[in-house]
Coordinates of all heavy atoms in Angstrom, one line a residue:
M175 N 32.9 -37.7 -21.0 CA 32.8 -38.4 -22.3 C 31.9 -39.7 -21.9 O 32.2 -40.3 -20.9 CB 34.1 -38.8 -22.8 CG 34.1 -39.6 -24.0 SD 35.8 -39.9 -24.7 CE 36.2 -38.3 -25.3
N176 N 31.0 -40.0 -22.7 CA 30.1 -41.2 -22.5 C 30.8 -42.5 -23.0 O 31.5 -42.5 -24.0 CB 28.8 -41.0 -23.2 CG 28.0 -39.9 -22.6 OD1 28.2 -39.5 -21.5 ND2 27.1 -39.3 -23.4
D177 N 30.5 -43.5 -22.3 CA 30.9 -44.9 -22.7 C 29.7 -45.6 -23.2 O 28.9 -46.0 -22.4 CB 31.5 -45.6 -21.4 CG 32.2 -46.8 -21.8 OD1 32.4 -47.1 -23.0 OD2 32.7 -47.5 -20.9
P178 N 29.5 -45.7 -24.5 CA 28.3 -46.2 -25.1 C 28.0 -47.6 -24.7 O 26.8 -47.9 -24.6 CB 28.5 -46.0 -26.6 CG 29.8 -45.5 -26.8 CD 30.5 -45.3 -25.5
A179 N 28.9 -48.5 -24.6 CA 28.7 -49.9 -24.3 C 29.9 -50.4 -23.6 O 31.0 -50.1 -23.9 CB 28.4 -50.7 -25.5
P180 N 29.7 -51.3 -22.6 CA 30.8 -51.9 -21.9 C 31.9 -52.6 -22.8 O 33.0 -52.5 -22.5 CB 30.2 -52.9 -20.9 CG 28.8 -52.4 -20.8 CD 28.4 -51.8 -22.1
H181 N 31.4 -53.2 -23.8 CA 32.4 -53.9 -24.7 C 33.3 -52.9 -25.4 O 34.4 -53.3 -25.8 CB 31.7 -54.9 -25.7 CG 30.9 -54.1 -26.7 ND1 29.6 -53.7 -26.5 CD2 31.3 -53.7 -28.0 CE1 29.2 -53.1 -27.6 NE2 30.2 -53.1 -28.5
D182 N 32.9 -51.7 -25.5 CA 33.8 -50.7 -26.1 C 35.0 -50.4 -25.3 O 36.0 -49.9 -25.8 CB 33.0 -49.4 -26.3 CG 32.0 -49.5 -27.4 OD1 32.0 -50.4 -28.3 OD2 31.1 -48.6 -27.4
A183 N 35.0 -50.8 -24.0 CA 36.2 -50.6 -23.2 C 37.4 -51.4 -23.8 O 38.5 -50.9 -23.8 CB 35.9 -51.0 -21.8
H184 N 37.1 -52.6 -24.3 CA 38.2 -53.4 -24.9 C 38.7 -52.7 -26.1 O 39.9 -52.7 -26.3 CB 37.7 -54.8 -25.2 CG 37.4 -55.6 -24.0 ND1 38.4 -56.2 -23.2 CD2 36.2 -56.0 -23.4 CE1 37.9 -56.8 -22.2 NE2 36.5 -56.8 -22.3
D185 N 37.9 -52.1 -26.9 CA 38.3 -51.4 -28.1 C 39.2 -50.2 -27.7 O 40.2 -49.9 -28.3 CB 37.1 -50.9 -29.0 CG 36.4 -52.1 -29.6 OD1 37.0 -53.2 -29.8 OD2 35.2 -51.9 -29.9
C186 N 38.7 -49.5 -26.7 CA 39.4 -48.4 -26.2 C 40.8 -48.8 -25.7 O 41.8 -48.1 -26.0 CB 38.6 -47.7 -25.0 SG 39.4 -46.3 -24.3
V187 N 40.9 -49.9 -25.0 CA 42.2 -50.3 -24.5 C 43.1 -50.6 -25.7 O 44.3 -50.3 -25.6 CB 42.0 -51.6 -23.6 CG1 43.4 -52.3 -23.4 CG2 41.4 -51.2 -22.3
E188 N 42.6 -51.3 -26.7 CA 43.5 -51.6 -27.8 C 43.9 -50.4 -28.6 O 45.0 -50.3 -29.1 CB 42.7 -52.6 -28.8 CG 42.6 -54.0 -28.2 CD 44.0 -54.5 -27.6 OE1 45.0 -54.4 -28.3 OE2 44.0 -55.0 -26.5
Q189 N 43.0 -49.4 -28.7 CA 43.4 -48.1 -29.3 C 44.5 -47.4 -28.5 O 45.5 -46.9 -29.1 CB 42.2 -47.2 -29.5 CG 41.2 -47.6 -30.5 CD 39.9 -46.8 -30.5 OE1 39.8 -45.8 -29.8 NE2 39.0 -47.2 -31.3
L190 N 44.4 -47.4 -27.2 CA 45.4 -46.8 -26.4 C 46.7 -47.6 -26.5 O 47.8 -47.0 -26.6 CB 44.9 -46.7 -24.9 CG 45.8 -46.1 -23.9 CD1 46.2 -44.6 -24.4 CD2 45.1 -46.0 -22.5
R191 N 46.6 -48.9 -26.4 CA 47.8 -49.7 -26.5 C 48.6 -49.4 -27.9 O 49.8 -49.3 -27.9 CB 47.4 -51.2 -26.4 CG 48.6 -52.2 -26.3 CD 48.2 -53.6 -26.3 NE 47.1 -54.0 -25.5 CZ 47.1 -54.2 -24.2 NH1 48.2 -54.1 -23.6 NH2 46.0 -54.5 -23.6
T192 N 47.8 -49.3 -28.9 CA 48.4 -49.1 -30.2 C 49.0 -47.7 -30.3 O 50.1 -47.5 -30.8 CB 47.3 -49.2 -31.3 OG1 46.8 -50.5 -31.3 CG2 47.8 -48.9 -32.7
A193 N 48.3 -46.7 -29.8 CA 48.9 -45.3 -29.8 C 50.1 -45.2 -28.9 O 51.1 -44.6 -29.3 CB 47.8 -44.3 -29.2
L194 N 50.1 -45.9 -27.8 CA 51.3 -45.9 -26.9 C 52.5 -46.6 -27.6 O 53.6 -46.2 -27.6 CB 51.0 -46.5 -25.6 CG 50.1 -45.7 -24.6 CD1 49.7 -46.5 -23.4 CD2 50.8 -44.4 -24.2
A195 N 52.2 -47.7 -28.3 CA 53.2 -48.5 -28.9 C 53.8 -47.7 -30.1 O 55.1 -47.8 -30.3 CB 52.6 -49.8 -29.5
A196 N 53.1 -46.8 -30.7 CA 53.6 -46.0 -31.8 C 54.6 -45.0 -31.2 O 55.5 -44.5 -32.0 CB 52.5 -45.2 -32.5
L197 N 54.5 -44.7 -29.9 CA 55.5 -43.8 -29.3 C 56.6 -44.6 -28.5 O 57.4 -44.1 -27.8 CB 54.8 -43.0 -28.2 CG 53.8 -42.0 -28.8 CD1 52.9 -41.4 -27.7 CD2 54.5 -40.9 -29.6
G198 N 56.6 -46.0 -28.7 CA 57.6 -46.8 -28.0 C 57.3 -47.0 -26.6 O 58.2 -47.4 -25.8
I199 N 56.0 -46.9 -26.1 CA 55.7 -47.0 -24.7 C 54.8 -48.2 -24.6 O 53.8 -48.4 -25.3 CB 54.9 -45.7 -24.2 CG1 55.8 -44.5 -24.4 CG2 54.4 -45.9 -22.8 CD1 55.2 -43.2 -24.1
T200 N 55.1 -49.0 -23.6 CA 54.3 -50.2 -23.2 C 53.9 -50.1 -21.8 O 54.7 -49.9 -20.9 CB 55.1 -51.5 -23.5 OG1 55.4 -51.6 -24.8 CG2 54.2 -52.7 -23.1
L201 N 52.6 -50.2 -21.5 CA 52.1 -50.3 -20.1 C 51.7 -51.7 -19.9 O 50.6 -52.1 -20.4 CB 50.9 -49.3 -19.9 CG 51.2 -47.8 -20.0 CD1 49.9 -47.0 -19.8 CD2 52.3 -47.4 -19.0
P202 N 52.5 -52.5 -19.3 CA 52.3 -54.0 -19.2 C 50.9 -54.3 -18.5 O 50.3 -55.3 -18.9 CB 53.4 -54.5 -18.3 CG 54.5 -53.4 -18.4 CD 53.7 -52.1 -18.6
S203 N 50.4 -53.5 -17.6 CA 49.2 -53.8 -16.9 C 47.9 -53.2 -17.6 O 46.9 -53.2 -17.0 CB 49.3 -53.4 -15.5 OG 50.4 -54.0 -14.9
L204 N 48.1 -52.6 -18.7 CA 47.0 -51.9 -19.4 C 45.9 -52.9 -19.7 O 46.1 -54.0 -20.3 CB 47.4 -51.3 -20.7 CG 46.4 -50.5 -21.5 CD1 45.8 -49.3 -20.8 CD2 47.0 -50.1 -22.8
G205 N 44.6 -52.6 -19.3 CA 43.5 -53.5 -19.6 C 42.2 -52.9 -19.1 O 42.2 -51.8 -18.6
V206 N 41.2 -53.6 -19.2 CA 39.8 -53.2 -18.7 C 39.7 -53.7 -17.3 O 40.1 -54.8 -16.9 CB 38.7 -53.9 -19.6 CG1 37.4 -53.6 -19.0 CG2 38.8 -53.5 -21.0
D207 N 39.3 -52.8 -16.4 CA 39.1 -53.1 -15.0 C 38.0 -54.1 -14.9 O 36.9 -53.8 -15.3 CB 38.7 -51.8 -14.2 CG 38.4 -52.1 -12.8 OD1 39.4 -52.5 -12.1 OD2 37.3 -51.9 -12.4
P208 N 38.3 -55.3 -14.4 CA 37.3 -56.4 -14.3 C 36.1 -56.1 -13.5 O 35.0 -56.5 -13.8 CB 38.1 -57.6 -13.8 CG 39.3 -57.0 -13.2 CD 39.6 -55.7 -13.8
L209 N 36.3 -55.3 -12.4 CA 35.1 -55.0 -11.5 C 34.1 -54.1 -12.2 O 32.9 -54.4 -12.1 CB 35.6 -54.4 -10.2 CG 36.5 -55.4 -9.3 CD1 36.9 -54.6 -8.1 CD2 35.7 -56.6 -9.0
T210 N 34.6 -53.1 -12.8 CA 33.6 -52.2 -13.5 C 33.1 -52.8 -14.8 O 31.9 -52.5 -15.2 CB 34.2 -50.8 -13.8 OG1 35.4 -51.0 -14.6 CG2 34.6 -50.1 -12.5
F211 N 33.9 -53.6 -15.4 CA 33.4 -54.3 -16.7 C 32.3 -55.3 -16.3 O 31.3 -55.4 -17.1 CB 34.5 -55.0 -17.4 CG 34.1 -55.6 -18.7 CD1 33.8 -54.8 -19.8 CD2 34.0 -57.0 -18.8 CE1 33.4 -55.4 -21.0 CE2 33.6 -57.5 -20.0 CZ 33.3 -56.7 -21.1
A212 N 32.4 -55.9 -15.2 CA 31.4 -56.9 -14.8 C 30.1 -56.3 -14.3 O 29.1 -56.9 -14.2 CB 31.9 -57.8 -13.7
G213 N 30.1 -55.0 -14.0 CA 29.0 -54.3 -13.5 C 27.9 -54.2 -14.5 O 28.1 -54.4 -15.7
S214 N 26.7 -53.9 -14.1 CA 25.5 -53.8 -15.0 C 25.4 -52.5 -15.7 O 24.6 -52.3 -16.6 CB 24.3 -54.2 -14.2 OG 24.1 -53.2 -13.1
S215 N 26.1 -51.5 -15.2 CA 25.9 -50.2 -15.9 C 27.3 -49.6 -16.2 O 28.2 -49.7 -15.4 CB 25.1 -49.2 -14.9 OG 25.9 -49.0 -13.8
P216 N 27.4 -49.0 -17.4 CA 28.6 -48.3 -17.8 C 28.9 -47.1 -16.9 O 27.9 -46.6 -16.2 CB 28.4 -47.9 -19.2 CG 27.0 -48.3 -19.6 CD 26.4 -48.9 -18.4
P217 N 30.0 -46.5 -16.9 CA 31.1 -46.8 -17.8 C 32.1 -47.8 -17.2 O 32.3 -47.8 -16.0 CB 31.7 -45.5 -18.0 CG 31.5 -44.7 -16.7 CD 30.2 -45.2 -16.2
S218 N 32.6 -48.6 -18.0 CA 33.7 -49.5 -17.6 C 34.9 -48.6 -17.5 O 35.1 -47.6 -18.2 CB 34.0 -50.6 -18.7 OG 32.8 -51.4 -18.7
L219 N 35.8 -49.0 -16.6 CA 37.1 -48.2 -16.4 C 38.2 -48.9 -17.1 O 38.3 -50.1 -17.2 CB 37.4 -48.1 -15.0 CG 36.4 -47.3 -14.1 CD1 36.8 -47.3 -12.7 CD2 36.2 -45.9 -14.7
V220 N 39.2 -48.1 -17.6 CA 40.4 -48.6 -18.2 C 41.4 -48.6 -17.1 O 41.7 -47.5 -16.5 CB 40.8 -47.8 -19.4 CG1 42.2 -48.3 -19.9 CG2 39.8 -47.9 -20.6
A221 N 42.0 -49.7 -16.8 CA 43.1 -49.8 -15.8 C 44.4 -49.6 -16.5 O 44.8 -50.4 -17.3 CB 43.0 -51.2 -15.1
L222 N 45.1 -48.5 -16.2 CA 46.4 -48.2 -16.8 C 47.5 -49.0 -16.1 O 48.5 -49.3 -16.8 CB 46.7 -46.7 -16.7 CG 45.7 -45.8 -17.4 CD1 46.0 -44.3 -17.2 CD2 45.6 -46.1 -18.9
G223 N 47.3 -49.4 -14.9 CA 48.2 -50.3 -14.2 C 49.5 -49.7 -13.8 O 49.6 -48.4 -13.8
N224 N 50.4 -50.5 -13.4 CA 51.7 -50.0 -12.9 C 52.7 -50.0 -14.0 O 52.6 -50.8 -15.0 CB 52.2 -51.0 -11.8 CG 51.2 -51.0 -10.6 OD1 50.7 -50.0 -10.3 ND2 51.0 -52.2 -10.1
C225 N 53.7 -49.1 -13.9 CA 54.8 -49.1 -14.8 C 56.0 -48.6 -14.0 O 55.9 -48.0 -13.0 CB 54.5 -48.3 -16.0 SG 54.3 -46.5 -15.7
N226 N 57.2 -48.9 -14.6 CA 58.4 -48.4 -13.9 C 58.6 -46.9 -14.2 O 57.9 -46.3 -15.0 CB 59.6 -49.2 -14.3 CG 59.9 -49.1 -15.8 OD1 59.7 -48.1 -16.4 ND2 60.4 -50.2 -16.4
T227 N 59.5 -46.3 -13.5 CA 59.7 -44.8 -13.6 C 60.2 -44.4 -15.0 O 59.8 -43.4 -15.5 CB 60.7 -44.3 -12.5 OG1 62.0 -45.0 -12.6 CG2 60.2 -44.5 -11.1
A228 N 61.0 -45.3 -15.6 CA 61.4 -44.9 -17.0 C 60.2 -44.8 -17.9 O 60.2 -43.9 -18.7 CB 62.4 -46.0 -17.5
T229 N 59.3 -45.7 -17.8 CA 58.1 -45.7 -18.7 C 57.2 -44.5 -18.3 O 56.7 -43.8 -19.2 CB 57.3 -47.0 -18.5 OG1 58.2 -48.1 -18.9 CG2 56.1 -47.0 -19.4
A230 N 57.1 -44.2 -17.0 CA 56.3 -43.1 -16.6 C 56.9 -41.8 -17.2 O 56.2 -40.9 -17.6 CB 56.2 -43.0 -15.1
R231 N 58.2 -41.7 -17.2 CA 58.9 -40.5 -17.7 C 58.7 -40.4 -19.2 O 58.4 -39.3 -19.8 CB 60.4 -40.5 -17.4 CG 60.7 -40.2 -16.0 CD 62.2 -40.0 -15.7 NE 62.4 -39.7 -14.3 CZ 62.9 -40.6 -13.5 NH1 63.2 -41.8 -13.9 NH2 63.0 -40.3 -12.2
E232 N 58.7 -41.5 -20.0 CA 58.5 -41.5 -21.4 C 57.1 -41.1 -21.7 O 56.8 -40.3 -22.6 CB 58.7 -42.9 -22.0 CG 60.2 -43.3 -22.0 CD 60.3 -44.8 -22.5 OE1 59.4 -45.3 -23.1 OE2 61.4 -45.4 -22.2
L233 N 56.1 -41.6 -20.9 CA 54.7 -41.2 -21.1 C 54.5 -39.7 -20.8 O 53.9 -39.0 -21.6 CB 53.8 -42.0 -20.2 CG 52.3 -41.8 -20.3 CD1 51.8 -42.0 -21.7 CD2 51.6 -42.7 -19.3
A234 N 55.1 -39.2 -19.8 CA 55.0 -37.8 -19.4 C 55.6 -36.9 -20.5 O 55.0 -35.9 -20.9 CB 55.7 -37.5 -18.1
A235 N 56.8 -37.3 -21.0 CA 57.4 -36.6 -22.1 C 56.6 -36.6 -23.4 O 56.4 -35.5 -24.0 CB 58.8 -37.1 -22.4
A236 N 56.0 -37.7 -23.7 CA 55.1 -37.8 -24.9 C 53.9 -36.9 -24.8 O 53.5 -36.2 -25.7 CB 54.7 -39.2 -25.2
L237 N 53.3 -36.9 -23.6 CA 52.1 -36.1 -23.3 C 52.5 -34.6 -23.3 O 51.7 -33.8 -23.9 CB 51.5 -36.4 -22.0 CG 50.8 -37.8 -21.9 CD1 50.4 -38.2 -20.5 CD2 49.6 -37.9 -22.9
Q238 N 53.6 -34.2 -22.8 CA 54.0 -32.8 -22.8 C 54.3 -32.4 -24.2 O 53.9 -31.2 -24.6 CB 55.3 -32.7 -21.9 CG 54.9 -32.8 -20.4 CD 56.2 -32.9 -19.6 OE1 57.3 -33.1 -20.0 NE2 56.0 -32.7 -18.3
K239 N 54.9 -33.2 -25.0 CA 55.2 -32.9 -26.4 C 53.9 -32.7 -27.2 O 53.8 -31.7 -27.9 CB 56.1 -34.0 -27.1 CG 56.4 -33.7 -28.5 CD 57.3 -34.8 -29.1 CE 57.6 -34.5 -30.5 NZ 58.4 -35.6 -31.1
A240 N 52.9 -33.6 -27.0 CA 51.7 -33.4 -27.7 C 50.9 -32.2 -27.2 O 50.3 -31.5 -28.0 CB 50.8 -34.7 -27.4
A241 N 51.0 -31.9 -26.0 CA 50.3 -30.7 -25.4 C 50.9 -29.4 -26.0 O 50.2 -28.4 -26.2 CB 50.3 -30.7 -23.9
A242 N 52.1 -29.4 -26.3 CA 52.8 -28.2 -26.8 C 52.5 -28.0 -28.3 O 52.7 -26.9 -28.8 CB 54.3 -28.4 -26.6
Q243 N 52.0 -29.0 -29.0 CA 51.7 -28.9 -30.4 C 50.4 -28.1 -30.7 O 49.5 -28.1 -30.1 CB 51.7 -30.2 -31.1 CG 53.1 -30.8 -31.1 CD 53.0 -32.2 -31.7 OE1 52.0 -32.8 -32.1 NE2 54.2 -32.8 -31.9

């Protein structure tokens, strides 16, 4: 998938944050990776960050449920 512009990484992060929040999931460290965002060429990376095991399990369950649909 192409990343059309580096600033789109912030929009992507917010879309992901909103989608996860709709499932009751919060990734506290979710954000744009500053090293790739500062680079001169895309794509910028989204840093999913760290989360505890309970959050990881919730995320895995939500992804498994969506994959089954």
Side-chain angles (χ1 to χ4, degrees):
M175 183 176 286
N176 293 335
D177 191 4
H181 68 275
D182 288 342
H184 290 287
D185 292 335
C186 180
V187 166
E188 289 310 311
Q189 289 174 3
L190 182 55
R191 188 184 317 278
T192 299
L194 290 169
L197 296 169
I199 299 170
T200 301
L201 297 178
S203 302
L204 179 64
V206 177
D207 176 68
L209 294 177
T210 59
F211 183 73
S214 61
S215 63
S218 297
L219 297 178
V220 173
L222 298 177
N224 298 323
C225 65
N226 61 34
T227 56
T229 301
R231 285 189 184 102
E232 290 175 19
L233 182 55
L237 291 170
Q238 289 169 344
K239 182 178 178 182
Q243 292 179 352

